[in-house]
Amino acid sequence: MNNLNKRNKAETRFKLYGISAVIIAITFLFVLLFNIFSSGVSAFKASYIGVKIEIPSAMNIDEINPRKEFKRQVLKMFPEVETRSDKRALLSLFSKGAIYEFEDLLEQSDSNGLDGYYWFLAHGDLDMYIKGTVERRGNEAGRINSKRMTFVDALREQNLIQLQANKYLLSSADSREPEMAGIRGAIVGSLYAILIAFIVSFPLGVLSALYMEKLASRNKFSDIIETNINNLAAVPSIVFGLLGLAIFLNFFSLPRSAPLVGGLTLAVMTLPTIVIASRSAIKSVPPSIEEASIGLGASKIQTLMNFTLPLAMPGIMTGTIIGIARALGETAPLLMIGMVAFVVDVPGTPLDPSTALPVQIFLWADSPERAFVERTSAAIMVLLLFLVLLNLAAIYIRNKLERKW
Amino acid sequence: MSEKLKISIKNLNVFYAEKQALFDVNLNIMEREVTSLIGPSGCGKSTLLKCLNRMNDLIDICTMDGQVMIDGANINTPDQDPVLLRSKVGMVFQKPNPFPKSIYDNVAYGPRLHGMAQSKDELDSMVIKSLTRAGLYDEVKNRLFEAGTGLSGGQQQRLCIARALAVNPEIILMDEPCSALDPIATAKIEELIEELKRKYTIVIVTHSMQQAARVSDRTAYMHMGELIESGFTKNIFSNPQHQKTQDYITGRIG
């Protein structure tokens, strides 16, 4: 009786340990996610300043100098501004991108003239103040000095500063100006890299797993290969970066910073994961099915192609997608092959210089500009979204292929 | 009984690496008869059976010497194609192992593999014929395109027999085909064996002496890798020549 009590108590205690472990783990996860989301969500909005633009339709837009015209239109709103330094302070509230936006606006107007308020991208310093990231102390807020602040207050009074959807974040590549910086270049670079990694490592991994598991004879040599592949899976990823640097850049002279090289390096890194997952998937195919096929007069290769491979496919795909997801989040090997460069163009082909998402996060996290903090978190959110999508794809494929019979 | 020799095994020795599994086995198997192999576990019955369609080839460590002749030709010479051999010698396994495909595709797999059907209609009739011969057609004719793995154990085993019949074998090897089945399903398979022996030569490994007595014309008793005694089933069971056979049949060993 006494014993039973003791045993029950021990069981309850053990259960409690388990529950608290789970709670602690989930708490960590939520704190992390909350942190990223709360600081990153504001990056999807940006501050815009409304400017009253008046251009008569008679004017030939080809003769307009956009830079000068934009300045004129802005200064027109504050006729009292006289001194050079005041003018400069007012204009410094706009991003460099505002001029380009004005140019686009002129082109779209098609010589029909413009009349009304249009919205132009504000400078990152102002954006930080509007979003409350930088607090106001008296007449100053961070890099907004008292002179600039008078214009800010005046504009706000007329309700001419607004938060709108950030057009740049998802549509442009990196920039020195935080308000114009986006992650499209990094996303495209990452997609190219993992696509190449998949194309290279999937067939290589599956074929070597199939050969080692089903066709190779067992001897000391095959044991050594097996052990080495298992060891390879545990090699730190930066070592693969060095390998990529030595082989793909120095020996084959492929272009530096290109997603092609990044993809090949990630392929080498992913290969052992795919081989190990494929081998265990192939191993778990019931031998009775293969025997039945052989017994009916199918050759070994026919049996492999008709039964072993299709039955192992869900496991192989799951392993592959998990390997690719790991490659997507990998930074270190890409640093070694130069995908860490500051690139302002979205890469058009896998041979163009590019960064990758995790590297972009690394670069922005390193930047002293306050405005890059929220963009770092936003980039992390996008990376997490891609990882979640990949994992969902893995689950979907596994269920879909397995449910067949 | 035709009394025509179908398979003749001469001085067969089989080794798994260092371990010898069969010792100098000599056995004749007659055409269109049921021959059962009985004996205690690990005595080499299944090994002997697998020698008849070279399934042992798949095991790296397995080596053999001696002769297995089918219709007077040695099946182990290098110019013999094991794939052709296996279409001539079908096999049914201990555990029902239908493919994870539809009932139709299970049976059609062999004919498709060997390109036996010229048209869809021909394939259809082959599938129906095989299922009918295996006594399964009436039970599954309305769900030919459902999963073969959804059938009951006994039906699955008959599906496996139909699958083996579809490639028109001459010999059918059965490795304890009823060991995973209940008595009713077992009875159906035994009836089927009775039916099939009119057309096919059948070799069956069984643990059940009653089964051997019920279905087989001849019986071979094996012990520790040696063939102790073989002959007509009724003689073996009523009047065993050898002490070990007697012990096994009366339940003293095994």
Side-chain angles (χ1 to χ4, degrees):
Chain A
M1 201 60 211
N2 201 7
N3 245 341
L4 181 68
N5 258 336
K6 223 170 149 184
R7 215 159 50 219
N8 284 344
K9 263 187 194 155
E11 252 169 48
T12 322
R13 218 177 322 125
F14 192 77
K15 230 183 196 168
L16 277 178
Y17 291 153
I19 290 173
S20 38
V22 169
I23 287 176
I24 290 172
I26 287 182
T27 315
F28 275 133
L29 189 69
F30 268 97
V31 167
L32 179 77
L33 285 180
F34 179 75
N35 207 346
I36 291 169
F37 273 72
S38 58
S39 64
V41 87
S42 58
F44 290 94
K45 295 228 155 187
S47 304
Y48 287 80
I49 304 173
V51 179
K52 188 166 169 58
I53 305 279
E54 283 172 307
I55 293 175
S57 57
M59 244 173 121
N60 185 356
I61 54 165
D62 291 335
E63 284 171 12
I64 298 174
N65 177 337
R67 189 173 298 270
K68 280 188 184 158
E69 181 62 24
F70 182 67
K71 279 184 188 172
R72 206 177 63 80
Q73 298 279 356
V74 172
L75 292 174
K76 219 171 53 188
M77 291 201 301
F78 294 91
E80 71 279 7
V81 175
E82 297 270 308
T83 63
R84 254 181 86 94
S85 68
D86 279 356
K87 284 180 182 173
R88 197 183 289 159
L90 171 58
L91 288 167
S92 75
L93 292 178
F94 290 89
S95 163
K96 279 183 186 163
I99 310 275
Y100 303 125
E101 289 174 354
F102 183 64
E103 257 184 285
D104 288 345
L105 191 64
L106 282 178
E107 251 163 57
Q108 280 164 22
S109 75
D110 238 3
S111 299
N112 288 329
L114 293 166
D115 187 13
Y117 282 94
Y118 293 91
W119 296 93
F120 296 96
L121 187 64
H123 195 272
D125 297 342
L126 176 60
D127 191 42
M128 287 297 96
Y129 166 61
I130 297 297
K131 284 174 182 165
T133 314
V134 178
E135 261 175 56
R136 182 171 185 156
R137 290 215 181 88
N139 248 350
E140 293 191 356
R143 292 199 202 157
I144 308 277
N145 55 22
S146 52
K147 198 178 273 179
R148 292 170 98 186
M149 191 58 93
T150 44
F151 294 117
V152 173
D153 288 339
L155 284 167
R156 288 192 102 177
E157 226 161 74
Q158 299 175 59
N159 210 10
L160 286 178
I161 299 181
Q162 278 186 10
L163 280 175
Q164 295 179 359
N166 186 346
K167 289 182 286 199
Y168 291 85
L169 186 67
L170 294 176
S171 67
S172 63
D174 203 2
S175 168
R176 292 271 180 238
E177 316 300 326
E179 70 275 8
M180 289 170 70
I183 51 173
R184 194 190 187 101
I187 290 176
V188 173
S190 266
L191 289 183
Y192 274 139
I194 60 167
L195 191 71
I196 287 163
F198 175 78
I199 291 172
V200 173
S201 60
F202 182 72
L204 281 181
V206 173
L207 281 178
S208 39
L210 210 53
Y211 180 78
M212 288 196 300
E213 203 53 52
K214 289 292 171 191
L215 301 172
S217 50
R218 302 235 155 241
N219 51 35
K220 252 208 174 100
F221 184 64
S222 66
D223 284 349
I224 290 173
I225 289 182
E226 191 178 336
T227 317
N228 276 313
I229 284 180
N230 289 338
N231 286 339
L232 220 51
V235 167
S237 56
I238 195 146
V239 177
F240 287 105
L242 280 171
L243 189 79
L245 177 66
I247 293 177
F248 299 125
L249 293 187
N250 292 345
F251 189 73
F252 286 112
S253 307
L254 289 171
R256 196 166 281 273
S257 307
L260 174 71
V261 180
L264 290 173
T265 309
L266 293 175
V268 179
M269 195 195 83
T270 316
L271 203 54
T273 317
I274 296 183
V275 172
I276 291 169
S278 304
R279 286 190 69 175
S280 75
I282 289 167
K283 218 179 278 181
S284 66
V285 172
S288 65
I289 300 279
E290 293 166 334
E291 272 175 7
S293 171
I294 299 261
L296 283 172
S299 70
K300 215 161 182 177
I301 301 298
Q302 284 171 324
T303 303
L304 285 184
M305 290 301 152
N306 288 333
F307 294 106
T308 314
L309 208 50
L311 289 173
M313 215 19 115
I316 294 175
M317 285 310 290
T318 312
T320 305
I321 290 176
I322 286 169
I324 291 292
R326 216 191 101 196
L328 178 64
E330 200 56 70
T331 325
L334 301 182
L335 301 183
M336 301 306 295
I337 54 124
M339 280 186 87
V340 69
F342 173 74
V343 183
V344 289
D345 292 317
V346 176
T349 70
L351 289 169
D352 295 338
S354 160
T355 54
L357 259 179
V359 181
Q360 189 70 73
I361 291 166
F362 169 75
L363 281 171
W364 282 353
D366 218 24
S367 162
E369 294 262 7
R370 275 300 278 279
F372 275 123
V373 174
E374 57 174 29
R375 282 169 177 76
T376 307
S377 296
I380 293 173
M381 282 162 67
V382 172
L383 180 61
L384 287 178
L385 179 77
F386 276 115
L387 291 176
V388 168
L389 285 180
L390 274 179
N391 283 333
L392 284 180
I395 293 169
Y396 176 77
I397 288 175
R398 191 172 51 210
N399 289 348
K400 172 131 202 203
L401 289 180
E402 262 179 0
R403 214 181 289 148
K404 220 166 166 187
W405 292 113
Chain B
M1 273 170 239
S2 65
E3 288 290 315
K4 189 171 162 245
L5 188 63
K6 186 73 181 171
I7 306 172
S8 142
I9 301 162
K10 286 181 189 149
N11 302 322
L12 185 68
N13 289 289
V14 174
F15 304 83
Y16 292 116
E18 302 295 301
K19 192 174 164 286
Q20 188 162 2
L22 291 182
F23 297 84
D24 268 328
V25 172
N26 288 285
L27 181 67
N28 289 334
I29 292 166
M30 301 297 160
E31 191 171 41
R32 289 179 198 175
E33 278 189 13
V34 178
T35 305
S36 60
L37 305 177
I38 59 169
S41 297
C43 69
K45 310 181 291 277
S46 295
T47 303
L48 179 60
L49 196 71
K50 282 180 184 168
C51 286
L52 303 183
N53 69 344
R54 289 181 61 177
M55 283 298 260
N56 283 334
D57 285 12
L58 304 178
I59 305 165
D60 282 342
I61 54 168
C62 182
T63 52
M64 55 178 284
D65 61 59
Q67 282 183 328
V68 178
M69 317 277 277
I70 294 182
D71 292 332
N74 188 346
I75 63 167
N76 287 308
T77 52
D79 59 323
Q80 277 280 354
D81 182 358
V83 167
L84 271 180
L85 171 72
R86 287 180 200 130
S87 68
K88 191 171 156 184
V89 185
M91 185 152 192
V92 177
F93 296 84
Q94 184 168 6
K95 223 178 114 222
N97 55 354
F99 297 134
K101 293 169 176 274
S102 70
I103 293 170
Y104 183 94
D105 286 339
N106 258 285
V107 183
Y109 182 72
R112 277 184 184 143
L113 203 62
H114 300 290
M116 289 162 64
Q118 305 304 322
S119 65
K120 177 91 179 62
D121 289 345
E122 208 181 334
L123 189 63
D124 284 350
S125 70
M126 277 179 180
V127 169
I128 292 170
K129 203 171 96 188
S130 305
L131 283 171
T132 313
R133 275 214 189 121
L136 189 63
Y137 183 65
D138 288 333
E139 291 163 56
V140 300
K141 62 183 169 193
N142 294 324
R143 45 178 175 147
L144 283 179
F145 295 96
E146 286 171 33
T149 42
L151 298 172
S152 74
Q155 288 173 325
Q156 283 188 18
Q157 194 61 295
R158 276 180 286 150
L159 177 62
C160 293
I161 293 174
R163 186 175 66 186
L165 296 179
V167 292
N168 278 330
E170 294 166 20
I171 301 165
I172 300 172
L173 310 178
M174 297 184 173
D175 191 356
E176 299 182 40
C178 303
S179 65
L181 305 181
D182 65 49
I184 295 168
T186 302
K188 278 197 173 155
I189 301 273
E190 287 180 5
E191 271 170 39
L192 181 59
I193 292 171
E194 202 68 27
E195 219 17 71
L196 290 175
K197 79 172 189 189
R198 292 192 203 162
K199 202 165 174 297
Y200 306 94
T201 307
I202 295 173
V203 185
I204 176 170
V205 165
T206 176
H207 260 320
S208 149
M209 280 170 287
Q210 290 90 333
Q211 186 171 57
R214 281 193 300 265
V215 301
S216 63
D217 304 301
R218 287 171 206 259
T219 297
Y221 173 66
M222 295 181 69
H223 188 85
M224 305 279 278
E226 284 175 76
L227 188 86
I228 304 296
E229 191 173 351
S230 68
F232 287 112
T233 302
K234 51 180 188 293
N235 295 345
I236 295 270
F237 280 94
S238 58
N239 187 20
Q241 302 297 305
H242 207 285
Q243 184 59 41
K244 279 179 183 158
T245 319
Q246 170 112 42
D247 289 348
Y248 183 70
I249 286 165
T250 52
R252 237 171 281 168
I253 52 169

